[in-house]
């Protein structure tokens, strides 16, 4: 059909205008992975949004049933791949509660520190990515510069840049290497200055404010009804943070503020994350200040490898435990448990059922991104134009690997 | 005999102009990538040639060897026509741009412009408006939803900025008492128009950004929401036609800003040759456009229309009024 006939039909009214279904994604620069949004468009105006997920489904939960508890950690790395330590921590907490073991003090501090570094890593990505979705490319490359420092830190501490698998049941895999504390402190000194730069470059820009203020407003009640969590919930003015309200690890001993914002729009979600990074820096500094000496993992040979590798040569007992642990993993008592942490994206929960064997009977992940993505369904707030959908999606910060599991 | 010589000189100037203009996007792509890289604290292209100098050549070879793909559902005639409209319309505008004063070569006076039209301002605005039709037709003929949305945005954008842009120039025309671009430049030999017409310049500059489809007004191709907008379905040389057209519009707007508000070839401090001064000023504006591109997010299309109708149009009208009152 040529354009001419279409025009003729429009003229003699044999062709009526109708709404357009637009497939935004799964291959699209702004969908943060392989998310498909089916938009019902009336010109530029969005009538309905429908997220279609599942393009990155890897069956993490089912796979976990065939792996030992230690083998599951690399699987959790790949959920929210921009901040793996927090995924590790959630699962470690669940298993530790089933086992009923106490983690040594030093390990607790290292774990909290790693998780906060991961939070910064996750927030840095989205703080740069939202402006890029709106057309300002430079902000992302600036935040990537700082993220690169974090990646180097991760590599130094855990041996891997991305999939760290550092936090384990009963502690962490290895102690902090020499010089790590100094480099973390250095990073903590640089980051707040750079955050000020981002605020000047992005939040000081009228175009960015026009594109994000009063766009995609989520009312506090809606946010709770949708089950939002993390910065998305706090940006709507709901003062809820698992770290403070349901403390785990050592968060009850640390001094930090829970950042909230009253507006609930895209800008509020963006600026909340910037401020949260400042609080994370404070937490990391406190961890470094108060970190005690001591073990970095539990001294239970059935659960953790021996710290002193020399024992493997001299003690038969240790050798047997080491072999059993490597070959079969450790057994976890019968029971079920739900452990949740405040991950960068929100409440990350692991529901683990154990039948007493070395492998979980069932593992269920409450992925914050999956729940947060619900805010895009249907007709959302005052999100009116196609370009607003992009701003909304970017500000919700979903990681599709975590949504699809 | 003299007539033939005049025609020959004319043809020679035309050939040089077209050759230079079609070559310019090559260094400009390299420059844009380098400027972007340095703004973003990274080295940019480094592999092909010294500091990536041959990168545009590699890109060109790649584009040439790409499959020339026309979607089945596309309107083949219009799909082929669209990039040509964009390129030809933009090239045609340059006929009226004065690059420098008259120079003397072997005792013959040669003007550094092709024509000195008495209605050059009208001509430039009219023909520069045509290149947008390439975008609209291209988006429509692609028969793709993203492309059509890009084309629709271009339509909305076109009517929002063309009017304030035209009105912004009226002040300059009133000052020079002429619509000839050469006369406008000559009228600025003592003091540039930017001093008399700051408001007109601001309106013209912003509307120009919209005309060039640069960030913050690059809505027709907004890769954040439309994939690639109107040229989503274009590939190979057809795509590069649009790219070349885009760079030419960039140069054109830089040249217009210089001619209308920044004294054309008139020197500022150093007594450099007029042509060099002109090119320096154009280069400055091209750099400014690139700097903008990597700093600003883009406006939403209804926000652009709000700016066009509620801010730029009243401002340009006020500018005409103020200029009129002061001149009388």
């Amino acid at each position: 059909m040529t354009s001419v006939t279409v025009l003729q039909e429009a003229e003699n009214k044999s062709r009526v205008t109708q709404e357009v279904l637009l497939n935004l994604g799964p291959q699209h620069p702004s969908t943060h992975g392989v998310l498909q949004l089916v938009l019902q468009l009336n010109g530029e105006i969005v009538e309905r949004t429908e997220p279609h997920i599942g393009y990155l489904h890897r069956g993490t939960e089912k796979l976990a049933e065939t792996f030992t508890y230690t083998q599951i950690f690399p699987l959790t790395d790949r959920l929210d791949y921009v901040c793996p330590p927090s995924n590790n921590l959630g699962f470690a907490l669940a298993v530790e509660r089933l086992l009923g073991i106490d983690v040594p003090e030093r390990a607790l501090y290292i774990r909290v520190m790693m998780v906060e570094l991961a939070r910064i890593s996750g927030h840095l990505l989205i703080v740069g990515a939202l402006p890029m979705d709106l057309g300002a490319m430079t902000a992302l490359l600036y935040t990537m510069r700082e993220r690169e420092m974090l990646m180097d830190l991760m590599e130094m501490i855990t041996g891997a840049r991305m999939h760290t698998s550092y936090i384990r049941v009963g502690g962490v895999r290895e102690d902090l290497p020499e010089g790590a504390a100094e480099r973390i402190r250095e990073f903590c000194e640089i980051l707040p200055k750079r955050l000020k730069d981002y605020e000047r470059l992005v939040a000081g820009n009228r175009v960015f404010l026009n594109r994000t203020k009063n766009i995609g407003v989520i009312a506090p009640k809606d946010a709770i009804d949708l089950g939002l969590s993390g910065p998305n919930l706090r940006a709507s003015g709901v003062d809820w943070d698992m770290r403070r309200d349901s403390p785990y690890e050592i968060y009850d001993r640390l001094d930090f503020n829970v950042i909230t914002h009253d507006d609930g729009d895209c800008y509020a979600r963006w600026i909340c994350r910037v401020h949260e990074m400042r609080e994370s820096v404070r937490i990391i500094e406190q961890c470094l200040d108060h970190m005690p000496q001591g073990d970095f993992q539990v001294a239970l040979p059935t659960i953790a490898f021996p710290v002193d590798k020399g024992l493997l040569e001299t003690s038969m007992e240790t050798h047997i435990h080491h072999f059993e642990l490597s070959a079969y993993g450790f057994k976890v008592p019968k029971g079920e448990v739900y452990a949740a942490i405040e991950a960068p994206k929100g409440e990350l929960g692991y529901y683990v059922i154990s039948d007493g064997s070395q492998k979980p009977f069932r593992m269920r992940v409450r992925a914050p991104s999956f729940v947060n993505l619900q805010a895009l369904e249907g007709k959302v707030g005052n999100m009116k134009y196609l370009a607003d959908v992009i701003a909304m999606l970017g500000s919700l910060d979903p990681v599709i690997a975590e949504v699809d599991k | 005999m003299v007539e033939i010589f005049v025609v020959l000189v004319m043809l020679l100037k035309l050939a040089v102009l077209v050759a230079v203009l079609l070559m310019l996007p090559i260094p400009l792509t390299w420059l844009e990538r380098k400027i972007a890289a340095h703004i973003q604290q990274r080295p940019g292209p480094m592999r092909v040639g010294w500091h990536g100098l041959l990168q545009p050549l590699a890109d060109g070879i790649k584009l040439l060897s790409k499959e020339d793909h026309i979607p089945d559902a596309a309107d083949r005639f219009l799909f082929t026509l669209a990039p040509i409209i964009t390129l030809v319309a933009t090239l045609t505008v340059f006929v009226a741009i004065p690059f420098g004063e008259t120079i003397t070569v072997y005792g013959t006076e040669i003007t550094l412009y092709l024509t000195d039209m008495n209605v050059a301002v009208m001509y430039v605005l009219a023909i520069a408006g045509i290149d947008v039709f390439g975008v609209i037709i291209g988006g429509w003929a692609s028969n793709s939803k993203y492309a059509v949305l890009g084309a629709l945005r271009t339509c909305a954008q076109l009517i929002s900025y063309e009017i304030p842009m035209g009105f912004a120039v009226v002040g300059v025309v009133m000052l020079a008492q002429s619509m000839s671009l050469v006369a406008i430049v000559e009228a600025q030999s003592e003091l540039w128009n930017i001093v008399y017409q700051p408001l007109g310049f601001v309106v013209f500059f912003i509307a120009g950004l919209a005309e060039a489809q640069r960030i913050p007004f690059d809505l027709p191709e907004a890769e954040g929401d439309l994939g690639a907008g109107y040229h989503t379905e274009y590939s190979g040389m057809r795509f590069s036609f649009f790219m070349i057209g885009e760079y030419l519009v960039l140069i054109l707007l830089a040249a217009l800003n210089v001619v209308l508000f920044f004294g054309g070839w008139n020197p500022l401090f150093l007594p450099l040759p007029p042509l060099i001064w002109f090119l320096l000023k154009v280069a400055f504006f091209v750099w400014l456009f690139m700097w903008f591109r990597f700093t600003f997010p883009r406006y939403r299309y209804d926000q652009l229309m709000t700016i066009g109708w509620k801010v730029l149009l009243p401002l340009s009208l006020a500018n005409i009024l103020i200029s009129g009152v002061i001149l009388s």
Side-chain angles (χ1 to χ4, degrees):
Chain A
M1 184 183 303
T2 63
S3 343
V4 179
T5 52
V6 173
L7 286 175
Q8 280 165 353
E9 277 177 3
E11 216 159 81
N12 61 27
K13 299 270 163 58
S14 65
R15 174 173 286 256
V16 284
T17 57
Q18 57 184 30
E19 283 167 358
V20 176
L21 272 189
L22 182 73
N23 282 308
L24 197 84
Q27 272 97 37
H28 190 276
S30 298
T31 52
H32 293 251
V34 280
L35 173 69
Q36 183 188 8
L37 290 174
V38 179
L39 306 175
Q40 204 172 332
L41 288 182
N42 182 3
E44 283 263 341
I45 294 166
V46 179
E47 300 288 348
R48 261 190 70 79
T49 327
E50 202 180 314
H52 285 202
I53 60 169
Y55 290 96
L56 204 59
H57 179 63
R58 290 145 301 165
T60 304
E61 289 171 357
K62 191 68 190 166
L63 266 178
E65 291 168 21
T66 65
F67 284 3
T68 67
Y69 286 96
T70 316
Q71 283 172 335
I72 291 171
F73 281 101
L75 285 184
T76 62
D77 275 344
R78 284 150 180 82
L79 286 174
D80 181 359
Y81 50 77
V82 290
C83 34
S86 30
N87 306 338
N88 298 159
L89 180 68
F91 184 66
L93 272 181
V95 181
E96 280 156 13
R97 277 184 206 165
L98 274 175
L99 286 165
I101 54 173
D102 285 324
V103 179
E105 281 282 289
R106 183 174 173 80
L108 290 178
Y109 277 92
I110 296 178
R111 275 153 61 141
V112 166
M113 193 184 72
M114 290 305 286
V115 169
E116 292 304 322
L117 283 174
R119 188 185 312 279
I120 294 176
S121 159
H123 283 358
L124 272 179
L125 182 78
I126 195 61
V127 160
L130 178 60
M132 194 190 69
D133 290 342
L134 303 181
M137 210 195 292
T138 303
L140 180 75
L141 284 134
Y142 282 2
T143 60
M144 280 297 151
R145 178 185 57 188
E146 274 68 77
R147 209 156 169 274
E148 184 63 26
M149 293 170 69
L150 261 178
M151 286 286 178
D152 289 344
L153 266 176
M154 290 283 173
E155 189 182 1
M156 182 189 189
I157 297 168
T158 72
R161 283 162 63 84
M162 205 168 163
H163 299 306
T164 53
S165 294
Y166 180 62
I167 295 170
R168 297 292 175 86
V169 174
V172 292
R173 194 176 67 226
E174 269 162 66
D175 205 356
L176 284 185
E178 241 171 77
E182 286 73 46
R183 280 188 57 182
I184 295 171
R185 275 188 201 281
E186 207 178 297
F187 176 76
C188 288
E189 224 161 84
I190 292 173
L191 187 70
K193 288 181 212 152
R194 300 280 166 86
L195 289 179
K196 222 176 268 171
D197 284 353
Y198 305 155
E199 277 182 279
R200 285 222 314 267
L201 176 71
V202 180
N205 188 320
R206 272 195 63 151
V207 188
F208 181 76
L209 295 183
N210 277 341
R211 287 294 307 276
T212 53
K213 281 224 165 180
N214 276 320
I215 303 296
V217 178
I218 303 176
K221 189 179 171 300
D222 292 342
I224 294 171
D225 289 351
L226 284 165
L228 299 191
S229 51
N232 294 335
L233 178 70
R234 292 192 284 273
S236 289
V238 183
D239 195 2
W240 172 257
D241 190 320
M242 302 277 291
R243 292 177 290 174
R244 186 196 60 198
D245 300 314
S246 153
Y248 49 95
E249 305 284 280
I250 50 158
Y251 277 113
D252 46 353
R253 295 178 226 166
L254 298 171
D255 171 36
F256 64 96
N257 297 325
V258 174
I259 307 292
T260 56
H261 202 285
D262 293 331
D263 293 352
D265 53 12
C266 293
Y267 176 75
R269 288 188 280 276
W270 185 86
I271 198 77
C272 262
R273 291 190 166 89
V274 175
H275 290 316
E276 257 179 38
M277 280 194 268
R278 295 211 171 89
E279 294 304 318
S280 290
V281 168
R282 278 180 63 201
I283 294 177
I284 293 167
E285 280 171 343
Q286 289 173 51
C287 284
L288 285 172
D289 289 342
H290 303 301
M291 192 179 291
Q293 290 299 320
D295 289 344
F296 58 88
Q297 60 184 27
V298 284
L300 286 171
T302 48
I303 287 172
F305 289 143
V307 178
D308 178 11
K309 296 282 188 278
L311 277 177
L312 286 174
E313 322 242 320
T314 53
S315 153
M316 193 60 207
E317 195 110 308
T318 316
H319 205 107
I320 291 170
H321 283 312
H322 186 271
F323 175 74
E324 285 232 317
L325 205 49
S326 319
Y328 312 118
F330 52 84
K331 283 189 175 161
V332 171
K334 236 178 175 171
E336 48 192 84
V337 71
Y338 176 77
I341 63 159
E342 183 73 30
K345 309 276 185 295
E347 180 183 335
L348 171 69
Y350 285 88
Y351 186 74
V352 182
I353 305 177
S354 166
D355 54 1
S357 68
Q358 290 98 337
K359 296 166 183 174
F361 176 74
R362 175 84 171 94
M363 183 186 85
R364 156 95 186 129
V365 183
R366 187 227 185 254
S369 294
F370 174 72
V371 185
N372 290 345
L373 197 61
Q374 291 189 96
L376 264 182
E377 172 96 48
K379 179 110 183 98
V380 188
N382 50 354
M383 193 177 77
K384 198 171 164 200
Y385 294 97
L386 173 59
D388 292 343
V389 176
I390 304 299
M392 180 74 183
L393 177 65
S395 71
L396 283 174
D397 186 20
V399 167
I400 306 303
E402 194 182 46
V403 174
D404 291 345
K405 290 181 284 216
Chain B
M1 196 58 209
V2 177
E3 281 82 34
I4 295 171
F5 181 72
V6 169
V7 169
L8 272 179
V9 168
M10 195 78 161
L11 282 176
L12 189 70
K13 281 197 290 189
L14 193 66
V16 169
L17 182 68
V18 171
V20 169
L21 282 177
L22 285 180
M23 282 295 142
L24 260 181
I26 295 173
L28 271 182
T29 51
W30 179 82
L31 207 66
E32 176 145 40
R33 292 172 71 168
K34 276 291 181 193
I35 288 174
H38 288 286
I39 286 176
Q40 296 165 351
Q41 313 211 331
R42 58 195 173 86
M46 291 294 276
R47 295 300 170 93
V48 193
W50 184 79
H51 279 247
L53 261 178
L54 296 177
Q55 185 71 44
L57 209 65
D59 291 346
I61 292 169
K62 187 198 78 177
L63 282 171
L64 273 172
S65 55
K66 282 252 170 178
E67 183 193 352
D68 176 25
H69 180 251
I70 300 180
D72 282 345
D75 185 324
R76 292 185 74 93
F77 174 67
L78 291 181
F79 190 83
T80 323
L81 186 68
I84 301 172
I85 294 180
T86 303
L87 193 60
V88 172
T90 317
L91 276 175
T92 318
V93 188
F94 280 95
V95 171
I97 303 286
F99 296 94
E101 275 181 311
T102 313
I103 53 167
T104 316
V105 181
Y106 297 120
T108 328
E109 289 202 340
I110 296 174
T111 52
L112 283 180
Y113 43 84
L114 273 166
T115 51
D116 177 18
M117 271 180 261
N118 51 1
V119 286
V121 170
M122 288 288 280
Y123 170 83
V124 164
L125 288 178
I127 306 293
I130 287 180
D131 81 273
V132 179
F133 284 95
V135 172
I136 297 172
I137 292 171
W140 172 261
S142 301
N143 209 347
S144 143
K145 286 170 187 172
Y146 286 118
V148 168
L149 275 173
L152 289 179
R153 284 181 176 190
T154 317
C155 296
Q157 200 166 324
L158 175 76
I159 48 172
S160 319
Y161 65 74
E162 287 269 312
I163 297 168
M165 196 173 176
F167 280 151
V169 187
V170 172
V172 175
V173 175
M174 285 159 87
L175 277 174
Q177 302 282 322
S178 163
M179 281 181 117
S180 146
L181 288 177
V182 178
I184 286 174
V185 173
E186 275 163 0
Q188 300 178 64
S189 57
E190 305 214 326
L191 207 50
W192 296 354
N193 273 341
I194 178 71
V195 182
Y196 301 118
Q197 295 278 332
L199 194 59
F201 167 68
V202 170
V203 172
F204 186 83
F205 184 80
I206 294 175
L209 278 175
E211 162 102 31
Q213 288 156 16
R214 304 287 291 186
I215 276 180
F217 304 119
D218 69 332
L219 308 169
E221 51 179 299
E223 85 263 356
D225 29 302
L226 289 188
Y230 66 91
H231 55 54
T232 307
E233 303 293 338
Y234 281 90
S235 60
M237 271 324 274
R238 287 184 217 284
F239 167 73
S240 63
F241 266 40
F242 276 123
M243 284 296 287
I244 294 171
E246 228 167 80
Y247 278 111
L248 289 183
V249 173
L250 188 71
I251 301 165
L252 174 68
L253 279 158
L256 280 181
N257 271 304
V258 171
V259 168
L260 294 175
F261 296 98
F262 280 81
W265 61 76
N266 290 314
L268 187 55
F269 302 116
L270 295 169
L272 291 173
L275 182 64
I276 302 291
W277 260 114
F278 182 81
L279 293 180
L280 275 178
K281 289 178 195 171
V282 169
F284 169 76
F285 272 97
V286 168
W287 171 75
L288 201 63
F289 285 135
M290 288 180 180
W291 183 21
F292 272 36
R293 171 168 172 193
F294 294 103
T295 315
F296 289 130
R298 75 175 65 81
Y299 272 110
R300 214 169 54 204
Y301 99 116
D302 64 307
Q303 289 169 342
L304 165 65
M305 297 217 275
T306 311
I307 292 171
W309 292 108
K310 292 189 183 164
V311 182
L312 293 185
L313 187 61
L315 277 181
S316 58
L317 288 174
N319 184 51
I320 295 175
L321 190 70
I322 295 167
S323 311
V325 168
I326 292 174
L327 280 176
S328 64

